[in-house]
Structure formats: C-alpha cells, structure tokens
Amino acid sequence: MTDTLMSVSHLTKHFPLTEGVVFQREVARVHAVDDVSLEVRRGETLGLVGETGCGKSTMARMMVRLLDPTSGTISYEGEDVTAASGARLKRLRREMQMIFQDPYSSLNPRKTIGSIIAEPFAIHGLLGSDGARRRRVQELMEQVGLNPEHYNRYPHEFSGGQRQRVGVARALALAPKLIVADEPVSALDVSIQAQILNLLRGLQRELGLTIVFIAHDLSVVRHMCDRVAVMYLGNLVELADSDTLYRHPRHPYTGALLSAVPVAAARSTVRRERQVLEGDLPSPTDPPPACRFHTRCPKAQEICRVQAPPLTPKDGGALAACHFPLADEEASAIVPTA
Ligand code: SF4
C-alpha cells in the first residue's frame, strides 16, 4: 500500500461560453483549471486555497467525478477515476464523498433529516430493512453531535451548524476513505465555524479519513491541514506542508494571502508588512500569458510575461511556480516568526 491515495495529473477543465439559440457557437472558454498535478496522501488533510474563481471548487468536483475534466487524469488507489463508468464508478463514488458549502441549499427541505442521511444507502442498495437503516442513521447522527431523536425533523428546524452536521453525517454514511469538503464553514456564523472544524478533525482522527479541505481563508486552513496547495486563476502556484507555508511562503501570491490573515491568527505580535494586491483578478476567459500572476505581482519582471514558471522545489522544501520566489527576509517581513 502506497502513501498516495489520489493522484491528479495535468488536470484541466475549460467551460465553453456559447451564443445563439439554435446553432450554439463557442465564443470563449473559461479556463477554470489548467494543468494541475498533485497528490493526496493517505490520512492527511490537504488544503486547497485561493480567491473566489481560482478553480478550487471545480477541482473538488472533478476529484469526486461530479464533473468530467477536459483533459488530464485522476487516479484513486491506482485506478483511473476519469475513465471509470457504470458499476466501477459507483463503487469508487462510495469511497469518495463530498461535503458542500451551503448547508441551507444542499438539503432537500421536504425530506426529514433521517431520510436525507439515509439517501446514500438507498442509492447504493444497502441496509435494506427500515429498522437497520434507521439504527445506522441514528448512530451517524450521534457521531456528528446531533440528537438521534430528531430523526423525523425537517431541515428548517435546525440551525446552520446543525444542518452542516447533517451534511457531514450523509457524507460519512458509506464509510468513505476520502472526503472532499468544499468550503464547509464559509456559509456559517464565525462562532459556529470552530465547532464544525473541530468535528471534522475529530472524525478524521477517529476514522482515519483523508480530507481535501477547500477554503478561501488561510487562517481557517492552518489549523486543519497537514499540507496546503495554493491556486491562482486555475493554476497551482504553491504546495507545501502547513508549517513551511505559513512560516516561509515562497510564491508572492501566497505571501499576499498570508499578509491579509489577521495578526492574532498568524500567531504573531511583531509588526509585519501588509501586501495589497494591485488590480482585479483577471478574467478566466482570457488569463494573462506565462505567469498568470504577473499583472498583479510586485516582483514581476520581463521573463514573467513570456515564460510560465514551472512548479519546482524551493529553499525550505516548498514547491512553487515562480521565477523570483520570496527570499527568507521577504517571507519573514510578511509572517514574522518571533
Ligand atoms: Fe511574480 Fe514573476 Fe514569480 Fe509570477 S513568476 S509570481 S510574476 S515573480
């Protein structure tokens, strides 16, 4: 058994934009994800971080095959997920589950909590008897901190945090190995977010889960993740273990994201440099050539506009896609370690 549970290779997803009602003509393409390769290690929590529109949710959906890639491959325990269909895909889907961002819209308001959590059993033809299904659902409710006696209640009778617990219970129903959590706390009140994060961490330890945790907020990811992958405009720009990334960011974009994390969350009392990114995020229909970050990067030089930087190892062990990565002094001005 290898350390790698999932391997993503040159994954690309473009969405065509069309016009015309009858003869739909492609007028542009949204470059949601472009040539991303990474591995998800067994038992880890891998954070996938970036601004809205960077392609992280599209990545998440491709990983669990809710979306087909334009090109590239995903292999799960050595099996090609992108080529799977029929019974093989159904079997793979049992092992990979997703928790969605919005606990308000991801639950059917006309179904009871019990039947929502039991849905995966019905889809996969498991636990045929009503009694067995109910017992298992109530165990799951208990496991995620819900009162099992609320089995027959409806989503509107639950708070946002409780609804997200229902989403977690539904994801756990089939005893998956991999959970892809797409911004699972961003729709929740700050006071509730920590409870859901603690729940996920506890479940991961207890069940030996592997989690891909999507977020736009680096302060959330720090306490959740073993490694963090940073995306910008469809590209993977930095990948490092959590401590390395937070202490010594190498990519200027990671540096800018970290400089925006509140000081208390960065565990520092020392003055630090705030890096404000100039300009808006370019359109994913027409991303800048070569390094996509060059239109906003304070370190950009001519080569950045003509030659795409490959993702390569930098000092300290991070992988970063940058011709002029942040030096130690630049990194520590953003995230002082004192
Ligand atoms: Fe900035 Fe150039 Fe590095 Fe891109 S390659 S992040 S533009 S320094």
Side-chain angles (χ1 to χ4, degrees), residues 232 237-238 248-256 291 293 297 309 320-322 325-326:
Y232 181 78
V237 297
E238 183 156 4
H248 301 288
R250 292 300 173 204
H251 197 281
Y253 178 61
T254 312
C291 176
F293 189 52
C297 180
C322 180
L326 297 175

Side-chain angles (χ1 to χ4, degrees), residues 99 117 120-121 137 140-141 144 146 163-174 199 203:
I99 299 171
I117 298 173
F121 299 131
V137 168
L140 286 163
M141 290 176 74
V144 300
L146 290 169
R163 286 186 228 190
Q164 195 53 294
R165 287 176 193 268
V166 173
V168 175
R170 182 171 58 182
L172 292 178
L174 299 173
L199 171 69
L203 289 170

Side-chain angles (χ1 to χ4, degrees), residues 232 275-282 293 295-298:
Y232 181 78
Q275 295 201 333
V276 180
L277 291 178
E278 301 291 336
D280 295 330
L281 190 68
F293 189 52
T295 54
R296 303 169 82 194
C297 180

Side-chain angles (χ1 to χ4, degrees), residues 251-253 291-295 297-301 303-305 307-309 321-325:
H251 197 281
Y253 178 61
C291 176
R292 290 188 176 175
F293 189 52
H294 79 248
T295 54
C297 180
K299 297 192 71 174
Q301 298 191 30
I303 188 176
C304 309
R305 296 179 185 91
Q307 194 175 309
C322 180
H323 295 304
F324 307 102

